[in-house]
Amino acid sequence: MAGSGEKEARVRLPQLKLDELLAELQARLDAARGTRDRVHSLLEAVLSVGRELDLEQALRSIVQAAAVLVDAEYAALGVIGTDGRRLSAFHTIGVSEQQIAQIGPYPEGHGILGELIRHPEPLRLPKLSQHPASYGFPPHHPPMNSFLGVPIRVRGKVFGNLYLTEKRGGAEFDEEDESVLSTLAVAAGVAIDNARLYEEARLRERWLRANAEITHSLMSGCDQTAVLRLIAERARDIAGAALAVVAMPMEDTGSLTVELAIGAEAERHQGLVLPVDGSLIGEAFSSAAPVTSGDVSQDDRVSAGPRRFVGLGPAVAVPIGTAEGVRGVVLLVREAGRTAFSSKEIEPLQGFAAQAAVAMELAEHRRDAEEIAVLKDRDRIARDLHDLAIQRLFATGMTLQSAGRFIEHPEAAERVVRAVDDLDETIKIIRSTIFGLRAREGDRGSGLRTRAVRTAGDAVPALGFAPSVRMEGLLDTHVPRDVADQVVAVLSEALTNIARHARADRADVVLESDGRQVRLTVTDNGVGIAAGGRRSGLRNMGERAEQLGGSLTWRAAESGGTHLEWRVPLPQA
């Protein structure tokens, strides 16, 4: 029996060692399999992150991959702002939207989160509250104990940090977790760099398309207001702004006027007159360089008046043009809480505005060339009328006048005299036309001729018909601006009276000057001026004439209506 017991003992001892060896082997196999699976997961995460070209989606993919790789319940990626001290964006996993709303604003990088900003090295803690930089959580924040953080570098510069908390199962983050997360951070840096480069390329492409659109609009003959609106809309859309304002300089005033505003609070800006000195837009105009504001609603450079930047924050004012010549300023404003305009955003915006100014200048040069061609053609026509038509008419009149002395029949002689008078009247009309043809563009835009024609045209809707207009003499040359203003006012008043009271279907306007006086005659075929009727309009026109040393007369017209004559003397050189 003793022999059999010793034999049993000898068999049991080797068997025990073998079980231990097999168990250890199994443990190592499991560890190797776990490492293999984790490496495989890491590779999948790296590939997944690297496929994203949209920056926001890439950041979210990084946070998701980090949480899965280290088995964390909560994960976040904080993007460091341009000042290098605070977080400008925060992406989280594990916290619901309701919890986020209860907690309040995202962290800016104080406490333990700021520790990685100040010291961008991996940080692993078994318990968050034990670190000296930790000072607790805000109300409604979920409890967090274990912590692992690693920086993300892009081209050697810290872009942001990955923050992982609460490893599942109550365990602590270990060295392997730190190693895996650090490896992911390297891949994340490459992915972020690619996404940013792609985003910048797309942004440049959008700016180029916008420039091409504006150039095409200008060269197609669009008016300036439409082009300015297009500039504002494209800049606002591409820059992600809530409000776009375009201000243009006012001649000889030292001020800027807001030509248009689109977006939030736009109606509060339309038509505003802003000083060049001391205003945000004025600073960009005078310096010919972009001017930024972190919060335009609190900026001292915003002129006084009703609040007009409610709910808005970061702003940039960019000159339309270059240092050689600024044509205006475009102001872009983002909603409050949004990121400030960075230099990388301002640079293409500035190029866009400068290119828009070049396109505007080219369009003006093209219009000038077209106008010069028109003026040359008008000069040719005027010369031909003067040298050919008038001379022949004058010669014909002289011939008829000479022939009239030999006509004995009284009626025939009278007809010849009337023909000569008609030729003289025709010559006057042609000379008036020649003066109009030779008027320069600066005179055509603000001269009495153009203003009188425009006033007559403006009265058409009220009259129901177009009045005839005849002008003689050097009206734009002889009549000074202050007198021209009175002439236009009287013409407008006279046509308005016809529309209101005359019940006419015809009106004739004659405006003439011989260099000594200007005379305006307005005749209609209406019911005439009723006896005892209101004459406030006539009184106003008479007072305007008396102020200038002139007079106003009226009488019944041969057509049955009213013949009104307003005349004032002109200053002599």
Side-chain angles (χ1 to χ4, degrees):
M1 296 294 294
S4 62
E6 291 175 4
K7 187 176 180 181
E8 250 180 67
R10 284 196 300 271
V11 173
R12 194 181 299 118
L13 287 174
Q15 184 68 41
L16 183 58
K17 288 184 178 182
L18 182 59
D19 289 343
E20 291 175 355
L21 289 172
L22 288 173
E24 184 178 351
L25 179 59
Q26 184 64 44
R28 292 191 178 187
L29 287 172
D30 291 341
R33 188 179 296 109
T35 302
R36 181 202 64 187
D37 292 343
R38 198 163 197 186
V39 169
H40 186 264
S41 298
L42 177 60
L43 290 173
E44 283 187 343
V46 168
L47 291 173
S48 175
V49 168
R51 280 194 293 265
E52 296 294 344
L53 287 176
D54 180 79
L55 182 58
E56 290 298 313
Q57 189 57 45
L59 297 178
R60 182 158 293 278
S61 297
I62 292 167
V63 178
Q64 291 173 338
V68 171
L69 284 174
V70 298
D71 202 22
E73 186 173 351
Y74 304 106
L77 192 158
V79 179
I80 299 175
T82 54
D83 59 3
R85 297 191 300 272
R86 294 186 297 179
L87 298 176
S88 61
F90 207 70
H91 303 266
T92 62
I93 292 293
V95 183
S96 67
E97 294 294 331
Q98 183 179 358
Q99 287 177 302
I100 293 173
Q102 291 176 335
I103 295 169
Y106 282 118
E108 296 184 353
H110 304 295
I112 199 68
L113 301 185
E115 186 69 16
L116 261 76
I117 298 176
R118 294 184 292 272
H119 307 287
E121 298 294 337
L123 178 63
R124 183 160 43 93
L125 302 171
K127 197 168 185 63
L128 267 170
S129 58
Q130 294 178 353
H131 194 278
S134 177
Y135 55 76
F137 298 105
H140 308 291
H141 197 287
M144 295 179 180
N145 293 296
S146 54
F147 174 85
L148 175 58
V150 295
I152 298 175
R153 288 181 170 84
V154 177
R155 299 193 179 190
K157 185 178 179 181
V158 177
F159 172 84
N161 296 305
L162 275 171
Y163 306 107
L164 288 301
T165 61
E166 287 298 286
K167 188 173 177 69
R168 297 184 187 276
E172 298 177 9
F173 294 106
D174 55 23
E175 291 183 6
E176 189 175 339
D177 292 328
E178 182 180 321
S179 177
V180 167
L181 201 60
S182 297
T183 303
L184 177 66
V186 173
V190 175
I192 290 169
D193 191 32
N194 290 338
R196 288 167 72 178
L197 291 173
Y198 178 72
E199 191 175 77
E200 289 172 8
R202 288 184 61 192
L203 194 61
R204 280 195 297 270
E205 183 183 358
R206 293 182 70 187
W207 284 122
L208 288 173
R209 282 203 303 265
N211 270 325
E213 188 177 0
I214 289 167
T215 302
H216 179 267
S217 298
L218 282 166
M219 296 306 175
S220 299
C222 288
D223 61 82
Q224 179 171 287
T225 301
V227 174
L228 291 178
R229 176 167 290 277
L230 186 60
I231 290 173
E233 288 175 346
R234 296 297 176 267
R236 172 175 170 258
D237 178 49
I238 297 174
L243 170 69
V245 172
V246 177
M248 305 295 286
M250 300 175 67
E251 293 184 4
D252 304 324
T253 63
S255 301
L256 298 162
T257 180
V258 175
E259 292 287 340
L260 63 92
I262 56 174
E265 304 289 327
E267 66 282 353
R268 297 177 180 267
H269 298 267
Q270 193 69 46
L272 281 176
V273 176
L274 306 171
V276 171
D277 296 331
S279 68
L280 182 67
I281 290 179
E283 186 176 336
F285 180 81
S286 59
S287 66
V291 178
T292 60
S293 173
D295 186 356
V296 71
S297 64
Q298 303 296 326
D299 201 304
D300 294 336
R301 294 170 294 181
V302 174
S303 58
R307 294 185 63 196
R308 54 186 183 271
F309 291 105
V310 179
L312 301 176
V316 60
V318 179
I320 302 174
T322 61
E324 286 71 28
V326 179
R327 294 176 170 269
V329 177
V330 57
L331 173 71
L332 300 176
V333 189
R334 286 175 174 161
E335 294 175 346
R338 293 282 305 279
T339 56
F341 288 90
S342 65
S343 57
K344 287 189 176 181
E345 291 176 305
I346 295 174
E347 184 179 351
L349 175 60
Q350 189 176 7
F352 165 76
Q355 186 65 32
V358 171
M360 292 169 71
E361 185 173 357
L362 289 175
E364 285 183 4
H365 288 327
R366 189 201 65 177
R367 285 194 295 271
D368 289 344
E370 292 174 350
E371 288 166 2
I372 288 172
V374 170
L375 290 174
K376 286 182 177 178
D377 200 37
R378 289 186 174 192
D379 283 342
R380 179 187 60 78
I381 295 171
R383 186 171 58 252
D384 291 345
L385 286 173
H386 183 272
D387 295 344
L388 300 176
I390 289 181
Q391 299 303 323
R392 297 193 66 170
L393 288 172
F394 186 75
T396 303
M398 292 290 291
T399 302
L400 288 173
Q401 196 172 23
S402 298
R405 289 195 294 268
F406 300 101
I407 300 174
E408 297 180 357
H409 193 286
E411 186 176 346
E414 184 181 353
R415 289 186 178 182
V416 170
V417 170
R418 283 204 305 268
V420 172
D421 290 341
D422 287 343
L423 285 175
D424 287 341
E425 187 69 17
T426 302
I427 290 172
K428 288 181 181 180
I429 293 172
I430 293 176
R431 281 176 172 165
S432 177
T433 303
I434 291 172
F435 293 143
L437 287 172
R438 286 178 170 170
R440 289 299 180 259
E441 177 61 23
D443 297 329
R444 294 203 313 274
S446 58
L448 179 55
R449 288 177 173 274
T450 299
R451 296 175 66 190
V453 171
R454 187 182 301 124
T455 301
D458 292 342
V460 170
L463 290 168
F465 58 88
S468 67
V469 179
R470 183 164 65 92
M471 291 179 283
E472 293 183 18
L474 299 175
L475 295 170
D476 291 341
T477 303
H478 290 159
V479 183
R481 180 76 184 193
D482 57 339
V483 177
D485 290 343
Q486 298 293 344
V487 172
V488 172
V490 170
L491 176 58
S492 178
E493 181 79 23
L495 294 175
T496 300
N497 287 343
I498 293 173
R500 289 178 177 174
H501 311 296
R503 297 200 294 275
D505 58 9
R506 179 180 174 183
D508 300 307
V509 176
V510 179
L511 181 59
E512 52 193 342
S513 171
D514 58 2
R516 294 184 298 273
Q517 70 173 5
V518 59
R519 183 176 66 179
L520 171 66
T521 304
V522 182
T523 307
D524 68 81
N525 66 345
V527 297
I529 300 174
R534 293 181 60 190
R535 303 190 178 186
S536 58
L538 292 172
R539 186 165 55 253
N540 290 338
M541 289 185 278
E543 290 175 354
R544 290 180 184 275
E546 290 172 4
Q547 289 172 1
L548 297 173
S551 63
L552 170 72
T553 59
W554 67 88
R555 58 178 170 79
E558 295 178 358
S559 58
T562 303
H563 176 89
L564 181 147
E565 183 173 292
W566 187 91
R567 63 173 69 200
V568 296
L570 295 175
Q572 301 299 305

